[in-house]
Amino acid sequence: MIVAAALPLVAEYGAAVTTSQIARAAGIGEATIFRAFKDKDEVLDACVAEAVGTDHVLRELATVSLDEPLDVRLTEAAEALRAHMERMGTVVGALHASGHLRTGRGGPAGQGGPDGRGGPDGRGGREGGSGRDEGRDGQHGAGPPPDARARSFVALRDAVVELIEPDRDACRLSPEKVATAFLGLLFTRLHTAAPGAEAPLSPEELIAVLLHGSLKHPGSDR
């Protein structure tokens, strides 16, 4: 409850947020915060762990109906993942800008997020992947270490595989490879565009390219 109430305040004020503001938002007394957390820094670290963790977005992906067409399923997944990455970037960015997260103490996990850089790209089972406990990489650590990011990527990929699985026979590639390509396209889309660059692909455009390619009339099915 405390962390949930603190997250939007941290996104707005960064490390300048006060425990009295958090208490008011949570509808509790300020002393209650210090019964749950040692100090404000610990509250902020818990907010980072919650922002970079994948539990919330995995629950959202699990609610996508498998009765919907594949393109609709993947569009809903893209929207859920976009919201997750933006929430993570906003919280981590606000704390970094206000001095709570400093270069050399792990670096913001939001820079790249759980995009599998250095992580496995083969098959893999669920391994938790929330990064919530692993996310503390020292005082004011900004996010999970590489092994936790890899586990987060595997968990996200497996959730997307489940959305693709009903259409396995219709896909030229395995659901695992399609899911990896989907996440790669999505996370690339979310990176800051260069000045003057065209607007990034919409979720619908991204899914269309993933499922049907970029040619108007493909000459073969190779």
Side-chain angles (χ1 to χ4, degrees), residues 119-137:
D121 58 2
R123 300 175 69 106
R126 290 188 186 280
E127 300 181 45
S130 71
R132 184 159 294 156
D133 293 329
E134 301 93 334
R136 305 288 184 84
D137 58 347

Side-chain angles (χ1 to χ4, degrees), residues 15-208:
V17 66
T18 65
T19 51
S20 62
Q21 287 176 305
I22 295 171
R24 283 196 299 273
I28 58 176
E30 190 172 4
T32 302
I33 294 178
F34 296 108
R35 286 197 287 270
F37 298 94
K38 180 177 65 177
D39 53 26
K40 189 180 82 169
D41 281 346
E42 194 168 276
V43 177
L44 297 179
D45 288 343
C47 287
V48 172
E50 177 65 23
V52 304
T54 54
D55 285 357
H56 179 77
V57 70
L58 288 173
R59 286 194 296 270
E60 289 193 20
L61 293 175
T63 67
V64 176
S65 174
L66 297 181
D67 294 329
E68 296 287 353
L70 179 58
D71 60 335
V72 174
R73 276 176 260 150
L74 290 179
T75 298
E76 290 183 17
E79 290 288 1
L81 286 161
R82 178 196 58 77
H84 166 68
M85 294 296 289
E86 288 185 355
R87 181 170 56 245
M88 176 168 61
T90 299
V91 170
V92 171
L95 288 174
H96 196 299
S98 57
H100 182 73
L101 303 179
R102 296 180 176 85
T103 302
R105 290 183 174 180
Q111 303 305 308
D115 61 358
R117 289 182 181 178
D121 58 2
R123 300 175 69 106
R126 290 188 186 280
E127 300 181 45
S130 71
R132 184 159 294 156
D133 293 329
E134 301 93 334
R136 305 288 184 84
D137 58 347
Q139 184 182 9
H140 302 338
D147 60 333
R149 286 199 295 271
R151 288 196 296 272
S152 292
F153 176 77
V154 170
L156 291 173
R157 188 200 61 197
D158 286 352
V160 175
V161 167
E162 291 181 12
L163 298 179
I164 300 169
E165 189 63 43
D167 290 271
R168 175 183 284 272
D169 291 343
C171 295
R172 285 187 290 163
L173 300 176
S174 69
E176 290 78 12
K177 288 186 175 181
V178 175
T180 298
F182 167 79
L183 292 173
L185 284 171
L186 180 62
F187 291 133
T188 299
R189 171 190 176 274
L190 292 172
H191 288 173
T192 303
E198 291 188 14
L201 295 176
S202 68
E204 292 80 9
E205 289 172 330
L206 184 149
I207 301 308

